[in-house]
Each structure stands twice: as C-alpha cells, then as structure tokens.
Amino acid sequence: VQYYEGEHDAERVVRREWPDGEVQHYEGERGAERLVRLKLPDGKVWHYEGEADAERVVRTELPGGEVQHYEGERAAERLVLKEFSDGEVQYYEGERAA
C-alpha cells in the first residue's frame, strides 16, 4: 500500500507498507522522494539521510533499546557508536570491515 500527499498532479509518496509488515517513510518533492525511515516487522528501525537513490544509514534502533550510529557514504557506512538501554556507550574507530 502506498500513501501520497500533495496537490493534484504533484502528489508524492510519503509511506509504503509491505505485506510482510515493513513500513517505509519518505520525504521530498515528487520524483525526488527519499527514504528517511524503515521499520521492520521485528521492531528494528533504520534512519537514513541523503538524496534520493543515495540514502545512507545514519542510525538504527533495536527492539531492546540499543541505538547504533553510523557514518560514511551509502554502502560504506560504518558503526561509530552504540548506546545501550542501561546507559553504556561504546565507541568504534577504523574502517568498515569487508
């Protein structure tokens, strides 16, 4: 199921719901919609930044409360920080593993 917003002939996709329960959220003008959030049926939520077709992962939220932060270009994102629900924080350095 796709949801649209906007004036007639300028509608843009704002949300897609898939039969497996995946939900995708979009922002941007018609023809330049970009993925900003993806919610999976298992409760994971992925956050994206970047232009359409060049979106990159910047953060994931896991069902247990863990939040992971990423840096890097699309398909080369690397984990730089983990925040746990108990307040523990882990920092990561170096290049992305192959």
Side-chain angles (χ1 to χ4, degrees):
V1 178
Q2 293 193 112
Y3 296 87
Y4 294 85
E5 289 183 358
E7 305 264 337
H8 179 67
D9 289 333
E11 301 95 339
R12 62 194 181 280
V13 175
V14 294
R15 180 178 167 125
R16 285 189 175 125
E17 295 179 1
W18 297 90
D20 66 359
E22 180 178 308
V23 180
Q24 300 169 338
H25 297 268
Y26 293 86
E27 292 180 358
E29 297 301 315
R30 181 180 183 164
E33 298 97 330
R34 64 192 181 281
L35 180 64
V36 295
R37 191 171 68 246
L38 169 66
K39 184 170 184 180
L40 299 176
D42 64 5
K44 291 179 187 167
V45 180
W46 298 74
H47 297 267
Y48 296 84
E49 290 181 359
E51 298 301 316
D53 299 321
E55 300 95 331
R56 64 191 181 281
V57 176
V58 295
R59 188 174 77 245
T60 59
E61 299 170 4
L62 305 180
E66 180 180 321
V67 179
Q68 301 174 342
H69 298 265
Y70 296 85
E71 291 181 355
E73 296 303 312
R74 182 181 185 160
E77 299 96 331
R78 64 181 186 83
L79 180 64
V80 295
L81 175 75
K82 278 187 187 178
E83 299 175 286
F84 295 90
S85 58
D86 65 1
E88 178 185 353
V89 177
Q90 294 177 353
Y91 296 90
Y92 296 83
E93 294 183 2
E95 296 301 313
R96 176 182 173 167

